Amino acid sequence: MTVRRVLQACGASFAAGLLIGAAAPGPEPLAVAGQTDWAPRAFKLFCHRMPQECLPGKGEPSFDATPARLHELEAVNRAVNRRIEAATDFDVYGVSEHWALPATQGDCEDYALLKRHILIEKGWPVGSVLLTVVRDRKGQGHTVLTVRTGREDQILDNTVDELRTWAQTPYLYVWRQSENDPKVWVGLWGVATDTGAGLEDCEGDVSCVMP
């Protein structure tokens, strides 16, 4: 199963109405546009099945982006990317969309869920490891894990092993879990460099519409 096919499958499950603005790339954290009523339906079902994975944190401060912490993030990103084989939800579960902690196979959100789970086990604050919905250069939906540090937001992505800041990625940032409650999602104002995609890409494109 190719990564391209998995990304295409991820794109079929995300909506239009993207909260995207002109944010200059830089080391600053992603700007939050405000709370939204939207949340992935498959994520809600995941929380129903595994409520322990969706509990709020205790207000712990984010870790500083020390070399040791960044090395740990990259090591987890690389390990999960190499451990899990890319596969669509239909291939694994027989349905179009299913969020889960993968054992051997999964798609973009499954990679992100597993990385989040591992980092929390390693002591990272719940409010600093946040599932994030983006659009790639082709306007397709994709899920990554944003890790909030003391300054920069780091991105763990199943398409690359290297750690990157949000501004170093080719994505439009759309929605993310709230730092205060993982069941709550917020809109983002985040345009990273060289995206090659815009709001107009969703016009007439059924892959941009939530089922």
Side-chain angles (χ1 to χ4, degrees):
M1 180 62 57
T2 66
V3 171
R4 177 176 295 179
R5 182 179 172 191
V6 174
L7 294 182
Q8 290 172 343
C10 290
S13 42
F14 302 123
L18 305 182
L19 301 174
I20 301 171
E28 294 80 10
L30 275 162
V32 174
Q35 184 174 327
T36 175
D37 292 332
W38 181 88
R41 181 175 181 272
F43 168 75
K44 294 179 180 179
L45 294 175
F46 170 78
C47 289
H48 181 73
R49 295 193 314 271
M50 305 190 70
Q52 70 277 12
E53 294 290 329
C54 301
L55 298 175
K58 300 178 181 179
E60 313 97 319
S62 297
F63 290 154
D64 289 332
T66 63
R69 290 296 185 188
L70 294 179
H71 176 76
E72 183 173 53
L73 292 180
E74 186 160 358
V76 168
N77 189 55
R78 188 182 304 272
V80 172
N81 288 354
R82 296 183 179 186
R83 166 182 161 188
I84 302 302
E85 178 187 0
T88 67
D89 288 330
F90 191 82
D91 290 327
V92 180
Y93 304 105
V95 296
S96 61
E97 189 68 8
H98 183 83
W99 290 34
L101 292 175
T104 58
Q105 294 179 305
D107 62 3
C108 54
E109 67 272 1
D110 302 328
Y111 283 86
L113 284 166
L114 182 56
K115 292 169 188 177
R116 178 181 181 273
H117 175 83
I118 292 172
L119 289 173
I120 291 173
E121 283 192 332
K122 289 180 174 293
W124 284 78
V126 170
S128 70
V129 287
L130 308 171
L131 300 171
T132 305
V133 173
V134 303
R135 289 178 63 198
D136 64 17
R137 287 190 182 99
K138 296 182 179 180
Q140 295 175 336
H142 182 46
T143 301
V144 297
L145 185 69
T146 297
V147 179
R148 304 217 65 188
T149 65
R151 184 183 181 193
E152 298 177 329
D153 288 344
Q154 304 290 332
I155 302 301
L156 279 63
D157 192 340
N158 68 299
T159 67
V160 292
D161 288 341
E162 293 74 22
L163 195 63
R164 299 180 295 183
T165 67
W166 74 269
Q168 293 171 329
T169 68
Y171 298 140
L172 301 177
Y173 285 79
V174 186
W175 290 294
R176 190 187 68 198
Q177 287 178 299
S178 166
E179 296 176 62
N180 301 318
D181 186 342
K183 291 184 180 180
V184 174
W185 288 67
V186 297
L188 297 172
W189 298 100
V191 182
T193 58
D194 190 27
T195 61
L199 285 172
E200 66 278 2
D201 296 334
C202 253
E203 295 180 4
D205 183 357
V206 295
S207 69
C208 291
V209 181
M210 275 295 276

